[in-house]
Amino acid sequence: MATRIRINAAEIIEKVSHLCMDANFNLNEDVLDALRDSYEAEVSPIAKEVFAELIENAKIARECQMPLCQDTGVAVVFVEMGEHVEVTDGHLCDAINEGVRQGYKEGFLRKSIVSNPLNRVNTGDNTPAIIHTEILPGNRLKITFMATGGGCENMSRIAMLTPADGKEGVMNFVIETVKIAKANPCPPIIVGVGIGGAFDYAALLAKKALLRPLGTKHNDPDTAFLEQEMLERINDLGIGAQGLGGWVTALAVHVEWYSCHIASLPIAVNIDCHAHRVKTVVLGNFQ
Amino acid sequence: MPNVIHLKTPLSDGDIVNLKIGDRAVISGIIYTARDAAHKRLVELTDKGKELPFDIRGQIIYYVGPSPARPGKPIGSCGPTTSCRMDVYTPKLLEKGLKATIGKGNRSENVVEAMKKHKAVYFVATGGAAALLAKSVKKAEVIAYEELGAEAIMRLEVENFPIVVANDIYGNDLYKEGVDKYRKE
């Protein structure tokens, strides 16, 4: 049996604060590789120039510690908490929110959260974060931070298809979502697809699908094939970088699925932009 | 960059008539920032027949809500926001003499028609190239609606701010033509 492990809330605050800045300043290598490959593959001169700008933008952001995009997003935080982990001197969610508060202040990141969606008064510190917590066996605490921008999130969609719609229905819904989105989510995009579960869970799966590193495939060969098929169909749309026309509209399509009701076929598509800001830290026992 | 057009603000009709979709240009001079909340206020003023907080004739509005500036820097990261949210307001500002807007994403039919009518153009800057675009901003000053924070109207002094012409006064639309050219389905 795993030994009990104590993690101080102050450590969580510090790590989350760092994740907020790290994600917004330092584009991950997998995304940079995808941008470089796209620069080579693209035939439209305008779109090619966009890729050159994005690669240069990542360099400037890293060197000057400036946000890649001025929309530094809502803080979406995925927590995998070992059942033998105990947070001391504070609460997990409070610590995460405090980390977001400190990271967005210290990093000169934009505060983009309104407290009430209808009254729309800015909270001033980019909290509250959206926190998804899973309790797992073990004694480690894994925290993944994702900055979710408004432009691409606004173009995401969900639908409850019927089982008869099947694979073709799922594919058509994904392609149509990208087609409707056109230039608005700042292509090149990364497409997260959640299939199955229930209404709520499909959306969560779609977001989780975005966390997987670019260039990796789903473990299940059929799903991996579906990802590839959808990627090709999306790139055939010709939308291109920034929607100005080109061969590369999406850098990747990632699918996650889950069992579902005999009557249902939920499908969710979560679009992320090229400023794909995901960073992870693991606390506790690494063995 | 080959074949780059150099534009200086304020823009004249002479500048505008020469611009065609797909043209790459750099802008130097003054541009004004405004996004959702500021647009709402500007159009409320024009509806009441009141003066705008700046002389809009010949000017360019940039749809942006920058991240906060670090000490000693004029501005934080400042890429464009999605333009279509401003579509409902834009024709009224074009009527008052606004010559160009900078943003990202398609414009509505109403805006395209209003641009033709008032001889105005739509520029796109690369969405998400916000640190790169900040390099072109030399000075930034809030001139109205400071209480709106990132949505306040700022007067930016820019040097070689890079854009592409997406809608010209001849009714051409780069978004439409570009996608038609590369579509394979």
Side-chain angles (χ1 to χ4, degrees):
Chain A
M1 191 176 132
T3 36
R4 198 154 187 80
I5 191 153
R6 292 200 165 95
I7 296 172
N8 196 288
E11 192 183 352
I12 297 171
I13 294 171
E14 192 206 318
K15 297 291 185 197
V16 170
S17 163
H18 176 75
L19 289 180
C20 297
M21 291 185 272
D22 190 19
N24 274 294
F25 301 153
N26 305 310
L27 193 62
N28 287 334
E29 245 351 274
D30 59 335
V31 186
L32 268 171
D33 282 344
L35 292 176
R36 290 188 197 110
D37 290 349
S38 303
Y39 174 83
E40 295 301 331
E42 185 54 73
V43 291
S44 152
I46 290 176
K48 209 174 175 74
E49 179 64 24
V50 169
F51 282 110
E53 283 188 4
L54 296 180
I55 294 163
E56 177 67 12
N57 184 63
K59 185 168 168 268
I60 295 169
R62 185 178 294 269
E63 282 170 6
C64 304
Q65 295 289 278
M66 281 176 81
L68 290 151
C69 178
Q70 76 288 340
D71 182 354
T72 52
V74 53
V76 180
V77 181
F78 288 88
V79 180
E80 287 176 21
M81 188 163 174
E83 57 196 356
H84 298 288
V85 172
E86 183 190 345
V87 176
T88 57
D89 296 326
H91 299 281
L92 176 68
C93 290
D94 292 348
I96 289 170
N97 276 311
E98 184 56 29
V100 169
R101 194 173 285 123
Q102 291 185 12
Y104 273 70
K105 185 165 188 280
E106 202 186 314
F108 292 86
L109 306 180
R110 200 179 78 182
K111 289 73 180 175
S112 313
I113 306 303
V114 294
S115 61
N116 175 320
L118 297 180
N119 298 343
R120 306 202 73 80
V121 178
N122 199 303
T123 62
D125 61 6
N126 219 57
T127 69
I130 294 169
I131 304 170
H132 302 287
T133 310
E134 260 182 284
I135 308 289
L136 297 171
N139 53 9
R140 60 173 211 165
L141 180 66
K142 182 177 172 189
I143 302 173
T144 298
F145 167 90
M146 180 177 186
T148 298
C152 44
E153 194 75 358
N154 280 352
M155 302 320 294
S156 301
R157 292 205 307 161
I158 189 161
M160 302 302 283
L161 302 182
T162 66
D165 291 323
K167 187 180 140 191
E168 200 52 34
V170 162
M171 296 225 314
N172 289 341
F173 184 77
V174 174
I175 309 307
E176 191 176 293
T177 300
V178 175
K179 217 168 163 175
I180 292 170
K182 291 190 282 194
N184 289 342
C186 274
I189 53 174
I190 297 151
V191 184
V193 180
I195 309 171
F199 183 79
D200 56 325
Y201 204 63
L204 183 61
L205 286 173
K207 180 135 277 159
K208 271 189 161 178
L210 294 172
L211 303 180
R212 201 197 315 152
L214 302 190
T216 59
K217 292 178 186 168
H218 197 282
N219 291 333
D220 165 41
D222 286 346
T223 310
F225 185 72
L226 185 66
E227 291 176 342
Q228 186 57 33
E229 223 178 327
M230 288 198 284
L231 179 63
E232 283 166 19
R233 276 183 64 183
I234 286 169
N235 286 335
D236 284 350
L237 294 173
I239 294 170
Q242 295 296 303
L244 299 170
W247 281 4
V248 185
T249 301
L251 301 176
V253 178
H254 292 171
V255 174
E256 294 296 333
W257 54 263
Y258 196 74
S259 311
C260 68
H261 193 281
I262 49 172
S264 303
L265 178 50
I267 164 87
V269 183
N270 196 189
I271 299 182
D272 199 18
C273 62
H274 56 79
H276 178 61
R277 292 152 295 182
V278 177
K279 296 278 179 179
T280 297
V281 68
V282 180
L283 306 176
N285 191 348
F286 302 102
Q287 290 157 20
Chain B
M1 279 186 285
N3 310 320
V4 173
I5 298 165
H6 288 258
L7 292 172
K8 282 217 182 317
T9 64
L11 299 178
S12 67
D13 281 355
D15 295 321
I16 300 288
V17 293
N18 289 323
L19 296 173
K20 284 188 281 311
I21 60 164
D23 283 350
R24 201 177 288 289
V26 291
I27 300 166
S28 298
I30 302 300
I31 61 176
Y32 293 90
T33 74
R35 49 175 290 160
D36 310 63
H39 269 80
K40 188 163 185 270
R41 293 195 188 186
L42 291 176
V43 167
E44 275 165 11
L45 288 176
T46 64
D47 284 350
K48 287 180 191 156
K50 289 189 177 165
E51 287 278 296
L52 296 176
F54 62 97
D55 184 357
I56 201 167
R57 287 169 301 174
Q59 299 301 340
I60 301 176
I61 286 182
Y62 181 24
Y63 304 141
V64 59
S67 66
R70 283 189 185 270
K73 298 273 183 186
I75 201 162
S77 292
C78 56
T81 192
T82 306
S83 306
C84 67
R85 295 196 314 272
M86 269 50 81
D87 282 351
V88 57
Y89 306 113
T90 305
K92 286 186 174 171
L93 299 179
L94 295 173
E95 206 180 305
K96 293 285 170 195
L98 178 68
K99 276 291 158 200
T101 53
I102 310 172
K104 67 175 178 82
N106 319 58
R107 305 311 303 256
S108 70
E109 270 310 306
N110 281 348
V111 174
V112 173
E113 280 308 308
M115 285 194 286
K116 266 160 71 178
K117 186 174 166 196
H118 300 292
K119 282 208 166 84
V121 288
Y122 172 49
F123 299 141
V124 292
T126 297
L132 175 93
L133 291 168
K135 291 255 170 196
S136 300
V137 178
K138 301 303 164 191
K139 263 190 197 167
E141 182 195 357
V142 174
I143 58 151
Y145 315 139
E146 191 160 13
E147 66 281 9
L148 294 178
E151 294 206 55
I153 295 183
M154 294 173 98
R155 183 179 187 272
L156 306 183
E157 202 178 304
V158 295
E159 226 174 78
N160 296 329
F161 186 93
I163 56 91
V164 173
V165 180
N167 288 101
D168 55 30
I169 60 166
Y170 308 103
N172 300 310
D173 185 342
L174 179 61
Y175 285 106
K176 203 178 167 304
E177 292 190 14
V179 175
D180 284 348
K181 192 168 170 187
Y182 294 99
R183 186 189 296 126
K184 292 183 193 164
E185 60 173 354

